[in-house]
Amino acid sequence: MDLIHTVAELRARLKGEQSVVLVPTMGNLHAGHLALVTEAGKHGRCVVASIFVNRLQFEPGGDFDRYPRTLADDCAKLERAGCHVVFAPDEGELYPEPQEIFVTPPKLAGQLCGDFRPGHFQGVVTVVAKLFNIVAPHTAVFGRKDYQQLAVIRALARQLNYPVSIVGVDTVREPDGLAMSSRNGYLSSEERTEAVRLGQNLRRIKALAEGGSRDFDALCAFAIKDLTDAGWRVDYVAVRNQSGLAVPGPGDRDLVVLGAAWLGRTRLIDNVEFRA
Ligand code: PAF
């Protein structure tokens, strides 16, 4: 496995590679990321994982400074998972001058997490567009835990005509159901025990909806109350259609319930797809 820090060296390394698959990450890798690498290996011969903590997608006062940087550990995990190239630029390499050109995210980014993290999706699509331009992958792999991000990136690839297939990979969960996340490491041991409540509420909404309830507002309000009563600060719990993350109409059957909430200083997100 090659560890590369500059755009020029990466381009030289990838010259002549016919089937490059990109797995963009911010590092501090867990089993969820490694599942992305395993999936990437099914789609091409050269798997490139990028590791870059992208300042542009953190809101002021967010966790950019404390986001864990664990490059050596990440590289060991990536090598074992079958990655071929790690691209780990520093900020000066990816943003050699102040970034003045941004990609405007699509409308579907202006809700859910977009309501609570101003500028976040603009930062995500801008760095992902840069990575697509640098790596020129034919496939890129993202986790379905960041459900709205995946939808935004699919729109980026479609609307800006990137010749990239976007592959989504199912969320990897801890044995108690907690979605794996780099931010789980911020949780105290009491918070870690409590953290399962978000996913439990989403799964309860799925079960009730599958059982025939279509009063999604009431189902979500119940979940928000349960979380709030247990000490969480809820950003949102919402049901949307899978196709465009719109509020479901009567004909929408393929749905997803998404939630984002704070437990102490840690913001957790999760989602569950269902058909009802
Ligand atoms: O999902 C992430 O880790 C980040 O948002 C991404 C896609 C690597 C862009 O910085």
Side-chain angles (χ1 to χ4, degrees), residues 90-165:
D90 64 16
E91 274 201 288
E93 183 65 17
L94 219 52
Y95 297 119
E97 54 190 279
Q99 188 73 22
E100 294 174 326
I101 297 178
F102 298 94
V103 180
T104 302
K107 256 201 210 124
L108 68 87
Q111 56 168 342
L112 304 170
C113 284
D115 277 339
F116 295 90
R117 303 190 67 188
H120 169 69
F121 285 118
Q122 175 177 282
V124 170
V125 289
T126 300
V127 80
V128 170
K130 285 166 78 86
L131 290 168
F132 285 174
N133 291 329
I134 293 165
V135 179
H138 69 73
T139 300
V141 183
F142 297 85
R144 299 175 82 85
K145 184 176 84 71
D146 295 293
Y147 201 91
Q148 188 178 12
Q149 170 175 282
L150 179 59
V152 167
I153 288 168
R154 286 192 196 285
L156 166 76
R158 275 195 320 271
Q159 294 190 18
L160 290 188
N161 298 87
Y162 281 104
V164 181
S165 304

Side-chain angles (χ1 to χ4, degrees), residues 3 10 12 82 126 141 149 173 193 205 212 228 233 270:
L3 172 59
L10 182 72
T126 300
V141 183
Q149 170 175 282
R173 295 180 182 278
T193 307
I205 291 172
T228 307
R233 183 159 58 83
D270 201 352

